[in-house]
Amino acid sequence: MEHKRIFIGREEELNQLEDFVIKKKKKLIAITGNNATGKTYLWQEFIKQTKLDGNSEIQVFNFNNSHSLIKSNDISTESKIIIFDDLSYISSFRLVDNLKKIISKHSEKQFIIVSPFQNLVKNFELDLHIHLDSFDLNESRRLFEALWKNNLETHEADILLEITKGNPLLINLSIDLLNSKKYNVQQIVRLLSENLKIENYVSTTNNIIVEKTPEIVQLTSDIKIINQSIIDSVRNNPFNIYNLNPREFEEFVAELLTKKGYNVDLTKMTRDGGKDLIIAESKDIGNFLYYVECKKYSQNNPVGIKLVRELAGTITADRVTAGIFVTSSYFSQDAVNFSEKFKNQISLIDFIKLKQWLNQL
């Protein structure tokens, strides 16, 4: 599916790029943000608006599906601005060290690093760090109105704005489907609920039949809970798990569980209390609901009894089937002993178990 490209909602970030790169000639800029928030589109628009596109002074290295190290002679003598795009396939810190050496050696050039990992770019001495969040309601509405070609009831527009949750690519995709006149608002809501797991987990998705047209296949592949790159990265080097921020760790666990065949809903970042992830399963013998709590800790920082006790309290209060506690470190002995009292309701998954899950994929 080909989407109309329109630049709305990133004007401030675009001005920052122009100020630091063109006017102030700063050496090192980073652009980060979750998947599909427009990181690559931002720097491309910057190149376009500053009339640098097609200029031999711009050199781009795309690390999508690549772990290759860069050699000093890979940097063109003509280039002035070097862009390292899509640093999401990092398999080790070797590449980070490699890029730092390249940046240091070519002191006369400027560099823009683009990655979903905020923690990764902290390894560099940045002059500017731009992080792209989801659009706020006003920005979402502006983009929506710029793309939508026909009349739409206000309440229908509000429904789409709510379900796309400020994600610019989702807004584009939704409007593309509307403009195609193949889907109405209700069908798109169901499509997003079924395929992208954005709608609340309490739904009748088993009764929703979505035709797997080429548009829907593309839509499903465009937006996923987490980029496969994180799975590849941690599988190649499990210690890369410590390069994730807490939200990325939740997304990583969500994708692992999804690949294990579970219907996983990633809850909002503001939610707490043992509900980072929710697994809803409907079987012939009944419906099952699991809460998953994720804690991204350093390898020497154990999860204590307090947090495990809180999870036990949450699953008891909400009367869900069971709880799963996942951490990048390990559990204290007190926490393990406490979980034994709920051995049919609480599962503890530590760093070692996560590695086993990865090996089973």
Short mmCIF file of all heavy atoms in Angstrom, two decimals, residues 189-249:
data_model
loop_
_atom_site.label_atom_id
_atom_site.label_comp_id
_atom_site.label_asym_id
_atom_site.label_seq_id
_atom_site.Cartn_x
_atom_site.Cartn_y
_atom_site.Cartn_z
N VAL A 189 -11.97 0.23 12.62
CA VAL A 189 -11.81 0.02 14.06
C VAL A 189 -11.65 -1.46 14.35
O VAL A 189 -10.77 -1.87 15.12
CB VAL A 189 -13.03 0.59 14.83
CG1 VAL A 189 -13.01 0.14 16.28
CG2 VAL A 189 -13.02 2.12 14.76
N ARG A 190 -12.46 -2.28 13.73
CA ARG A 190 -12.36 -3.72 13.95
C ARG A 190 -11.05 -4.27 13.41
O ARG A 190 -10.41 -5.13 14.02
CB ARG A 190 -13.53 -4.44 13.27
CG ARG A 190 -14.87 -4.19 13.95
CD ARG A 190 -15.98 -4.96 13.28
NE ARG A 190 -17.24 -4.81 13.99
CZ ARG A 190 -18.37 -5.42 13.64
NH1 ARG A 190 -18.38 -6.21 12.59
NH2 ARG A 190 -19.47 -5.23 14.34
N LEU A 191 -10.64 -3.74 12.26
CA LEU A 191 -9.38 -4.17 11.66
C LEU A 191 -8.21 -3.89 12.59
O LEU A 191 -7.37 -4.76 12.84
CB LEU A 191 -9.19 -3.43 10.34
CG LEU A 191 -7.80 -3.51 9.69
CD1 LEU A 191 -7.48 -4.94 9.32
CD2 LEU A 191 -7.76 -2.61 8.46
N LEU A 192 -8.17 -2.67 13.13
CA LEU A 192 -7.08 -2.32 14.04
C LEU A 192 -7.15 -3.13 15.31
O LEU A 192 -6.14 -3.56 15.85
CB LEU A 192 -7.13 -0.82 14.36
CG LEU A 192 -6.89 0.12 13.18
CD1 LEU A 192 -7.05 1.57 13.61
CD2 LEU A 192 -5.52 -0.10 12.59
N SER A 193 -8.35 -3.35 15.82
CA SER A 193 -8.52 -4.12 17.05
C SER A 193 -8.03 -5.55 16.87
O SER A 193 -7.37 -6.12 17.73
CB SER A 193 -9.99 -4.14 17.48
OG SER A 193 -10.48 -2.84 17.64
N GLU A 194 -8.35 -6.12 15.74
CA GLU A 194 -8.04 -7.54 15.51
C GLU A 194 -6.58 -7.76 15.18
O GLU A 194 -5.92 -8.63 15.72
CB GLU A 194 -8.90 -8.07 14.36
CG GLU A 194 -8.58 -9.51 13.93
CD GLU A 194 -9.08 -10.52 14.93
OE1 GLU A 194 -9.74 -10.14 15.91
OE2 GLU A 194 -8.79 -11.71 14.73
N ASN A 195 -6.05 -6.92 14.28
CA ASN A 195 -4.72 -7.19 13.74
C ASN A 195 -3.60 -6.48 14.47
O ASN A 195 -2.47 -6.95 14.49
CB ASN A 195 -4.67 -6.79 12.26
CG ASN A 195 -5.48 -7.73 11.40
OD1 ASN A 195 -5.01 -8.81 11.06
ND2 ASN A 195 -6.70 -7.35 11.08
N LEU A 196 -3.88 -5.33 15.09
CA LEU A 196 -2.82 -4.56 15.72
C LEU A 196 -2.91 -4.53 17.22
O LEU A 196 -2.07 -3.98 17.89
CB LEU A 196 -2.83 -3.12 15.18
CG LEU A 196 -2.75 -3.03 13.65
CD1 LEU A 196 -2.77 -1.58 13.24
CD2 LEU A 196 -1.53 -3.73 13.15
N LYS A 197 -3.98 -5.11 17.77
CA LYS A 197 -4.14 -5.21 19.22
C LYS A 197 -4.06 -3.85 19.89
O LYS A 197 -3.45 -3.69 20.94
CB LYS A 197 -3.11 -6.18 19.80
CG LYS A 197 -3.24 -7.57 19.23
CD LYS A 197 -2.20 -8.49 19.82
CE LYS A 197 -2.37 -9.90 19.29
NZ LYS A 197 -2.13 -10.02 17.86
N ILE A 198 -4.66 -2.84 19.30
CA ILE A 198 -4.68 -1.51 19.91
C ILE A 198 -5.92 -1.34 20.77
O ILE A 198 -5.89 -0.68 21.79
CB ILE A 198 -4.60 -0.43 18.82
CG1 ILE A 198 -3.20 -0.44 18.24
CG2 ILE A 198 -4.94 0.94 19.35
CD1 ILE A 198 -3.01 0.54 17.14
N GLU A 199 -7.03 -1.96 20.36
CA GLU A 199 -8.26 -1.86 21.13
C GLU A 199 -8.10 -2.59 22.45
O GLU A 199 -7.24 -3.45 22.61
CB GLU A 199 -9.41 -2.47 20.31
CG GLU A 199 -10.79 -2.26 20.91
CD GLU A 199 -11.16 -0.79 20.96
OE1 GLU A 199 -11.32 -0.16 19.91
OE2 GLU A 199 -11.27 -0.29 22.08
N ASN A 200 -8.91 -2.24 23.43
CA ASN A 200 -8.89 -2.91 24.73
C ASN A 200 -9.06 -4.41 24.55
O ASN A 200 -9.76 -4.86 23.65
CB ASN A 200 -10.04 -2.36 25.59
CG ASN A 200 -9.91 -2.77 27.03
OD1 ASN A 200 -9.96 -3.95 27.35
ND2 ASN A 200 -9.76 -1.79 27.90
N TYR A 201 -8.38 -5.18 25.37
CA TYR A 201 -8.41 -6.63 25.22
C TYR A 201 -9.81 -7.21 25.41
O TYR A 201 -10.11 -8.29 24.93
CB TYR A 201 -7.45 -7.29 26.23
CG TYR A 201 -7.89 -7.16 27.66
CD1 TYR A 201 -8.64 -8.14 28.27
CD2 TYR A 201 -7.55 -6.03 28.41
CE1 TYR A 201 -9.05 -8.02 29.59
CE2 TYR A 201 -7.97 -5.90 29.72
CZ TYR A 201 -8.71 -6.90 30.31
OH TYR A 201 -9.11 -6.76 31.60
N VAL A 202 -10.69 -6.54 26.16
CA VAL A 202 -12.04 -7.04 26.37
C VAL A 202 -12.87 -6.68 25.14
O VAL A 202 -13.34 -5.57 24.99
CB VAL A 202 -12.68 -6.42 27.62
CG1 VAL A 202 -14.09 -6.97 27.82
CG2 VAL A 202 -11.84 -6.72 28.86
N SER A 203 -12.96 -7.61 24.23
CA SER A 203 -13.68 -7.38 22.99
C SER A 203 -14.22 -8.70 22.47
O SER A 203 -13.96 -9.76 23.03
CB SER A 203 -12.75 -6.76 21.93
OG SER A 203 -11.73 -7.67 21.59
N THR A 204 -14.96 -8.62 21.41
CA THR A 204 -15.50 -9.84 20.81
C THR A 204 -14.75 -10.15 19.52
O THR A 204 -15.33 -10.43 18.49
CB THR A 204 -16.99 -9.68 20.50
OG1 THR A 204 -17.16 -8.53 19.66
CG2 THR A 204 -17.80 -9.47 21.78
N THR A 205 -13.42 -10.10 19.61
CA THR A 205 -12.62 -10.28 18.39
C THR A 205 -12.83 -11.63 17.75
O THR A 205 -12.62 -11.80 16.56
CB THR A 205 -11.12 -10.10 18.71
OG1 THR A 205 -10.77 -10.96 19.80
CG2 THR A 205 -10.81 -8.68 19.09
N ASN A 206 -13.25 -12.62 18.55
CA ASN A 206 -13.49 -13.94 17.95
C ASN A 206 -14.66 -13.89 16.97
O ASN A 206 -14.79 -14.77 16.12
CB ASN A 206 -13.81 -14.96 19.05
CG ASN A 206 -12.59 -15.28 19.89
OD1 ASN A 206 -11.47 -15.20 19.40
ND2 ASN A 206 -12.79 -15.62 21.14
N ASN A 207 -15.52 -12.90 17.10
CA ASN A 207 -16.66 -12.79 16.20
C ASN A 207 -16.39 -11.86 15.02
O ASN A 207 -17.25 -11.67 14.17
CB ASN A 207 -17.88 -12.25 16.97
CG ASN A 207 -18.29 -13.20 18.08
OD1 ASN A 207 -18.19 -14.41 17.94
ND2 ASN A 207 -18.76 -12.63 19.19
N ILE A 208 -15.20 -11.27 14.99
CA ILE A 208 -14.89 -10.33 13.92
C ILE A 208 -14.20 -11.08 12.78
O ILE A 208 -13.19 -11.74 12.98
CB ILE A 208 -13.97 -9.20 14.42
CG1 ILE A 208 -14.70 -8.37 15.48
CG2 ILE A 208 -13.54 -8.30 13.28
CD1 ILE A 208 -13.84 -7.33 16.13
N ILE A 209 -14.76 -10.96 11.63
CA ILE A 209 -14.17 -11.61 10.46
C ILE A 209 -13.59 -10.50 9.58
O ILE A 209 -14.31 -9.65 9.07
CB ILE A 209 -15.22 -12.42 9.68
CG1 ILE A 209 -15.80 -13.50 10.58
CG2 ILE A 209 -14.61 -13.01 8.42
CD1 ILE A 209 -16.92 -14.28 9.94
N VAL A 210 -12.26 -10.51 9.42
CA VAL A 210 -11.59 -9.49 8.63
C VAL A 210 -11.02 -10.14 7.38
O VAL A 210 -10.21 -11.06 7.47
CB VAL A 210 -10.46 -8.82 9.43
CG1 VAL A 210 -9.80 -7.73 8.59
CG2 VAL A 210 -11.01 -8.23 10.71
N GLU A 211 -11.45 -9.66 6.24
CA GLU A 211 -10.95 -10.20 4.98
C GLU A 211 -9.47 -9.87 4.84
O GLU A 211 -9.05 -8.73 4.97
CB GLU A 211 -11.73 -9.58 3.82
CG GLU A 211 -11.31 -10.12 2.46
CD GLU A 211 -11.99 -9.36 1.34
OE1 GLU A 211 -12.76 -8.44 1.64
OE2 GLU A 211 -11.74 -9.71 0.18
N LYS A 212 -8.65 -10.89 4.55
CA LYS A 212 -7.21 -10.68 4.44
C LYS A 212 -6.86 -10.19 3.04
O LYS A 212 -6.26 -10.89 2.23
CB LYS A 212 -6.47 -11.99 4.76
CG LYS A 212 -6.68 -12.46 6.20
CD LYS A 212 -6.17 -11.47 7.21
CE LYS A 212 -6.36 -11.95 8.64
NZ LYS A 212 -5.91 -10.99 9.64
N THR A 213 -7.26 -8.97 2.75
CA THR A 213 -6.94 -8.36 1.46
C THR A 213 -5.47 -7.94 1.47
O THR A 213 -4.83 -7.85 2.52
CB THR A 213 -7.81 -7.12 1.24
OG1 THR A 213 -7.50 -6.17 2.25
CG2 THR A 213 -9.28 -7.48 1.30
N PRO A 214 -4.92 -7.61 0.30
CA PRO A 214 -3.52 -7.13 0.28
C PRO A 214 -3.30 -5.92 1.16
O PRO A 214 -2.26 -5.76 1.78
CB PRO A 214 -3.31 -6.80 -1.21
CG PRO A 214 -4.24 -7.71 -1.94
CD PRO A 214 -5.46 -7.81 -1.05
N GLU A 215 -4.34 -5.03 1.24
CA GLU A 215 -4.19 -3.84 2.09
C GLU A 215 -4.03 -4.22 3.55
O GLU A 215 -3.22 -3.65 4.27
CB GLU A 215 -5.41 -2.93 1.93
CG GLU A 215 -5.54 -2.27 0.56
CD GLU A 215 -6.39 -3.12 -0.38
OE1 GLU A 215 -6.62 -4.29 -0.08
OE2 GLU A 215 -6.80 -2.58 -1.41
N ILE A 216 -4.80 -5.22 3.98
CA ILE A 216 -4.75 -5.61 5.38
C ILE A 216 -3.46 -6.36 5.69
O ILE A 216 -2.87 -6.19 6.75
CB ILE A 216 -5.99 -6.46 5.74
CG1 ILE A 216 -7.23 -5.56 5.70
CG2 ILE A 216 -5.85 -7.11 7.10
CD1 ILE A 216 -8.52 -6.25 6.01
N VAL A 217 -3.01 -7.17 4.76
CA VAL A 217 -1.72 -7.85 4.95
C VAL A 217 -0.62 -6.83 5.11
O VAL A 217 0.25 -6.94 5.98
CB VAL A 217 -1.43 -8.79 3.77
CG1 VAL A 217 -0.01 -9.34 3.87
CG2 VAL A 217 -2.43 -9.95 3.74
N GLN A 218 -0.66 -5.78 4.28
CA GLN A 218 0.35 -4.73 4.37
C GLN A 218 0.22 -3.97 5.67
O GLN A 218 1.20 -3.64 6.33
CB GLN A 218 0.21 -3.76 3.19
CG GLN A 218 1.23 -2.63 3.18
CD GLN A 218 2.64 -3.12 3.01
OE1 GLN A 218 2.88 -4.01 2.21
NE2 GLN A 218 3.57 -2.57 3.77
N LEU A 219 -1.03 -3.67 6.06
CA LEU A 219 -1.28 -2.94 7.30
C LEU A 219 -0.72 -3.69 8.49
O LEU A 219 -0.06 -3.13 9.36
CB LEU A 219 -2.77 -2.71 7.47
CG LEU A 219 -3.23 -1.97 8.73
CD1 LEU A 219 -2.66 -0.57 8.73
CD2 LEU A 219 -4.74 -1.92 8.79
N THR A 220 -0.96 -4.99 8.52
CA THR A 220 -0.49 -5.81 9.63
C THR A 220 1.02 -5.85 9.69
O THR A 220 1.63 -5.85 10.76
CB THR A 220 -1.05 -7.24 9.51
OG1 THR A 220 -2.46 -7.17 9.40
CG2 THR A 220 -0.69 -8.07 10.73
N SER A 221 1.67 -5.87 8.53
CA SER A 221 3.13 -5.93 8.51
C SER A 221 3.75 -4.57 8.79
O SER A 221 4.88 -4.49 9.27
CB SER A 221 3.63 -6.46 7.15
OG SER A 221 3.28 -5.56 6.11
N ASP A 222 3.02 -3.49 8.50
CA ASP A 222 3.57 -2.15 8.73
C ASP A 222 3.70 -1.83 10.20
O ASP A 222 4.67 -1.22 10.65
CB ASP A 222 2.69 -1.10 8.06
CG ASP A 222 3.00 -0.95 6.58
OD1 ASP A 222 4.06 -1.41 6.16
OD2 ASP A 222 2.16 -0.38 5.85
N ILE A 223 2.69 -2.19 10.99
CA ILE A 223 2.68 -1.88 12.41
C ILE A 223 2.63 -3.17 13.19
O ILE A 223 1.72 -3.95 13.04
CB ILE A 223 1.45 -1.04 12.79
CG1 ILE A 223 1.47 0.28 12.03
CG2 ILE A 223 1.40 -0.77 14.27
CD1 ILE A 223 2.51 1.25 12.51
N LYS A 224 3.61 -3.40 14.05
CA LYS A 224 3.63 -4.56 14.93
C LYS A 224 3.95 -4.07 16.33
O LYS A 224 4.37 -2.94 16.54
CB LYS A 224 4.68 -5.57 14.47
CG LYS A 224 4.43 -6.14 13.09
CD LYS A 224 5.44 -7.19 12.73
CE LYS A 224 5.24 -8.42 13.56
NZ LYS A 224 6.11 -9.53 13.20
N ILE A 225 3.75 -4.94 17.32
CA ILE A 225 4.05 -4.57 18.69
C ILE A 225 5.51 -4.16 18.81
O ILE A 225 5.86 -3.21 19.49
CB ILE A 225 3.73 -5.72 19.65
CG1 ILE A 225 2.22 -5.96 19.69
CG2 ILE A 225 4.23 -5.44 21.06
CD1 ILE A 225 1.81 -7.14 20.54
N ILE A 226 6.37 -4.89 18.19
CA ILE A 226 7.80 -4.60 18.31
C ILE A 226 8.49 -5.00 17.04
O ILE A 226 8.11 -5.95 16.40
CB ILE A 226 8.42 -5.36 19.51
CG1 ILE A 226 9.88 -4.98 19.73
CG2 ILE A 226 8.28 -6.84 19.35
CD1 ILE A 226 10.10 -3.59 20.15
N ASN A 227 9.53 -4.28 16.67
CA ASN A 227 10.28 -4.62 15.49
C ASN A 227 11.05 -5.92 15.72
O ASN A 227 11.62 -6.15 16.78
CB ASN A 227 11.27 -3.47 15.19
CG ASN A 227 11.84 -3.56 13.80
OD1 ASN A 227 12.51 -4.52 13.48
ND2 ASN A 227 11.57 -2.56 13.00
N GLN A 228 11.06 -6.77 14.71
CA GLN A 228 11.78 -8.04 14.80
C GLN A 228 13.25 -7.83 15.13
O GLN A 228 13.92 -8.71 15.68
CB GLN A 228 11.66 -8.79 13.47
CG GLN A 228 12.45 -10.10 13.38
CD GLN A 228 11.93 -11.14 14.35
OE1 GLN A 228 10.74 -11.18 14.63
NE2 GLN A 228 12.82 -11.99 14.86
N SER A 229 13.74 -6.63 14.85
CA SER A 229 15.16 -6.36 15.10
C SER A 229 15.55 -6.55 16.56
O SER A 229 16.66 -6.99 16.86
CB SER A 229 15.51 -4.94 14.68
OG SER A 229 14.76 -4.01 15.42
N ILE A 230 14.66 -6.21 17.49
CA ILE A 230 14.99 -6.36 18.91
C ILE A 230 15.14 -7.83 19.25
O ILE A 230 16.07 -8.22 19.96
CB ILE A 230 13.92 -5.69 19.79
CG1 ILE A 230 13.93 -4.18 19.56
CG2 ILE A 230 14.17 -6.00 21.26
CD1 ILE A 230 12.95 -3.43 20.43
N ILE A 231 14.24 -8.66 18.73
CA ILE A 231 14.34 -10.09 18.96
C ILE A 231 15.67 -10.61 18.41
O ILE A 231 16.39 -11.35 19.07
CB ILE A 231 13.17 -10.83 18.29
CG1 ILE A 231 11.84 -10.40 18.92
CG2 ILE A 231 13.35 -12.34 18.40
CD1 ILE A 231 11.63 -10.84 20.33
N ASP A 232 16.00 -10.21 17.17
CA ASP A 232 17.25 -10.66 16.56
C ASP A 232 18.46 -10.20 17.37
O ASP A 232 19.41 -10.95 17.59
CB ASP A 232 17.37 -10.11 15.14
CG ASP A 232 16.34 -10.71 14.20
OD1 ASP A 232 15.81 -11.79 14.53
OD2 ASP A 232 16.06 -10.10 13.16
N SER A 233 18.39 -8.95 17.83
CA SER A 233 19.50 -8.39 18.58
C SER A 233 19.77 -9.17 19.85
O SER A 233 20.91 -9.55 20.14
CB SER A 233 19.21 -6.92 18.91
OG SER A 233 20.14 -6.41 19.83
N VAL A 234 18.73 -9.42 20.64
CA VAL A 234 18.90 -10.10 21.92
C VAL A 234 19.21 -11.58 21.73
O VAL A 234 19.96 -12.17 22.50
CB VAL A 234 17.65 -9.90 22.81
CG1 VAL A 234 17.80 -10.63 24.14
CG2 VAL A 234 17.42 -8.41 23.05
N ARG A 235 18.66 -12.18 20.68
CA ARG A 235 18.97 -13.58 20.42
C ARG A 235 20.45 -13.75 20.06
O ARG A 235 21.10 -14.69 20.48
CB ARG A 235 18.09 -14.13 19.30
CG ARG A 235 18.34 -15.62 19.02
CD ARG A 235 17.19 -16.25 18.27
NE ARG A 235 16.75 -15.43 17.15
CZ ARG A 235 15.60 -15.63 16.51
NH1 ARG A 235 14.80 -16.60 16.89
NH2 ARG A 235 15.26 -14.86 15.50
N ASN A 236 20.98 -12.81 19.27
CA ASN A 236 22.40 -12.88 18.89
C ASN A 236 23.32 -12.60 20.08
O ASN A 236 24.39 -13.18 20.18
CB ASN A 236 22.69 -11.87 17.78
CG ASN A 236 22.07 -12.26 16.46
OD1 ASN A 236 21.83 -13.44 16.22
ND2 ASN A 236 21.78 -11.29 15.62
N ASN A 237 22.88 -11.73 20.96
CA ASN A 237 23.67 -11.41 22.14
C ASN A 237 22.70 -11.08 23.27
O ASN A 237 22.21 -9.95 23.36
CB ASN A 237 24.60 -10.23 21.87
CG ASN A 237 25.46 -9.89 23.08
OD1 ASN A 237 25.30 -10.46 24.16
ND2 ASN A 237 26.37 -8.95 22.91
N PRO A 238 22.37 -12.05 24.14
CA PRO A 238 21.37 -11.85 25.18
C PRO A 238 21.63 -10.63 26.06
O PRO A 238 20.68 -10.04 26.59
CB PRO A 238 21.44 -13.15 25.99
CG PRO A 238 21.91 -14.17 25.01
CD PRO A 238 22.89 -13.44 24.13
N PHE A 239 22.87 -10.24 26.22
CA PHE A 239 23.17 -9.10 27.09
C PHE A 239 22.73 -7.77 26.46
O PHE A 239 22.73 -6.75 27.14
CB PHE A 239 24.66 -9.07 27.44
CG PHE A 239 25.05 -10.19 28.36
CD1 PHE A 239 25.64 -11.33 27.86
CD2 PHE A 239 24.80 -10.11 29.72
CE1 PHE A 239 25.98 -12.39 28.70
CE2 PHE A 239 25.14 -11.15 30.57
CZ PHE A 239 25.73 -12.30 30.06
N ASN A 240 22.33 -7.79 25.19
CA ASN A 240 21.75 -6.59 24.59
C ASN A 240 20.41 -6.23 25.19
O ASN A 240 19.89 -5.14 24.96
CB ASN A 240 21.59 -6.77 23.07
CG ASN A 240 22.89 -6.50 22.33
OD1 ASN A 240 23.79 -5.85 22.86
ND2 ASN A 240 22.99 -7.00 21.12
N ILE A 241 19.86 -7.14 25.97
CA ILE A 241 18.60 -6.86 26.64
C ILE A 241 18.75 -5.66 27.58
O ILE A 241 17.80 -4.91 27.83
CB ILE A 241 18.11 -8.10 27.42
CG1 ILE A 241 16.60 -8.04 27.65
CG2 ILE A 241 18.82 -8.26 28.76
CD1 ILE A 241 16.02 -9.34 28.17
N TYR A 242 19.98 -5.44 28.07
CA TYR A 242 20.23 -4.33 28.99
C TYR A 242 20.38 -3.01 28.25
O TYR A 242 20.54 -1.96 28.87
CB TYR A 242 21.46 -4.63 29.84
CG TYR A 242 21.29 -5.90 30.65
CD1 TYR A 242 22.01 -7.05 30.34
CD2 TYR A 242 20.36 -5.97 31.68
CE1 TYR A 242 21.81 -8.22 31.06
CE2 TYR A 242 20.16 -7.13 32.39
CZ TYR A 242 20.89 -8.25 32.07
OH TYR A 242 20.68 -9.41 32.78
N ASN A 243 20.34 -3.07 26.92
CA ASN A 243 20.38 -1.86 26.11
C ASN A 243 18.98 -1.30 25.86
O ASN A 243 18.82 -0.23 25.28
CB ASN A 243 21.07 -2.15 24.77
CG ASN A 243 21.41 -0.90 24.00
OD1 ASN A 243 21.80 0.10 24.58
ND2 ASN A 243 21.23 -0.95 22.69
N LEU A 244 17.95 -2.05 26.29
CA LEU A 244 16.57 -1.62 26.11
C LEU A 244 16.14 -0.73 27.27
O LEU A 244 16.58 -0.93 28.40
CB LEU A 244 15.64 -2.83 26.04
CG LEU A 244 15.96 -3.91 25.01
CD1 LEU A 244 14.96 -5.05 25.12
CD2 LEU A 244 15.96 -3.33 23.61
N ASN A 245 15.28 0.22 27.00
CA ASN A 245 14.68 0.96 28.10
C ASN A 245 13.48 0.15 28.62
O ASN A 245 13.09 -0.85 28.00
CB ASN A 245 14.29 2.39 27.68
CG ASN A 245 13.22 2.44 26.62
OD1 ASN A 245 12.28 1.63 26.63
ND2 ASN A 245 13.32 3.38 25.70
N PRO A 246 12.88 0.54 29.74
CA PRO A 246 11.80 -0.28 30.31
C PRO A 246 10.63 -0.53 29.36
O PRO A 246 10.10 -1.64 29.30
CB PRO A 246 11.35 0.53 31.54
CG PRO A 246 12.61 1.24 31.96
CD PRO A 246 13.30 1.61 30.68
N ARG A 247 10.23 0.48 28.58
CA ARG A 247 9.12 0.27 27.65
C ARG A 247 9.51 -0.69 26.53
O ARG A 247 8.73 -1.55 26.13
CB ARG A 247 8.67 1.60 27.06
CG ARG A 247 7.44 1.49 26.14
CD ARG A 247 6.24 0.92 26.87
NE ARG A 247 5.02 1.00 26.07
CZ ARG A 247 3.84 0.57 26.48
NH1 ARG A 247 3.71 0.02 27.66
NH2 ARG A 247 2.77 0.69 25.70
N GLU A 248 10.72 -0.55 26.03
CA GLU A 248 11.19 -1.47 24.99
C GLU A 248 11.27 -2.89 25.52
O GLU A 248 11.02 -3.85 24.78
CB GLU A 248 12.55 -1.00 24.47
CG GLU A 248 12.49 0.28 23.67
CD GLU A 248 13.84 0.95 23.50
OE1 GLU A 248 14.82 0.56 24.19
OE2 GLU A 248 13.93 1.88 22.68
N PHE A 249 11.62 -3.04 26.80
CA PHE A 249 11.65 -4.38 27.40
C PHE A 249 10.24 -4.97 27.43
O PHE A 249 10.05 -6.16 27.14
CB PHE A 249 12.23 -4.31 28.81
CG PHE A 249 12.29 -5.64 29.50
CD1 PHE A 249 13.15 -6.64 29.07
CD2 PHE A 249 11.48 -5.91 30.60
CE1 PHE A 249 13.21 -7.88 29.70
CE2 PHE A 249 11.52 -7.13 31.24
CZ PHE A 249 12.40 -8.12 30.79
#
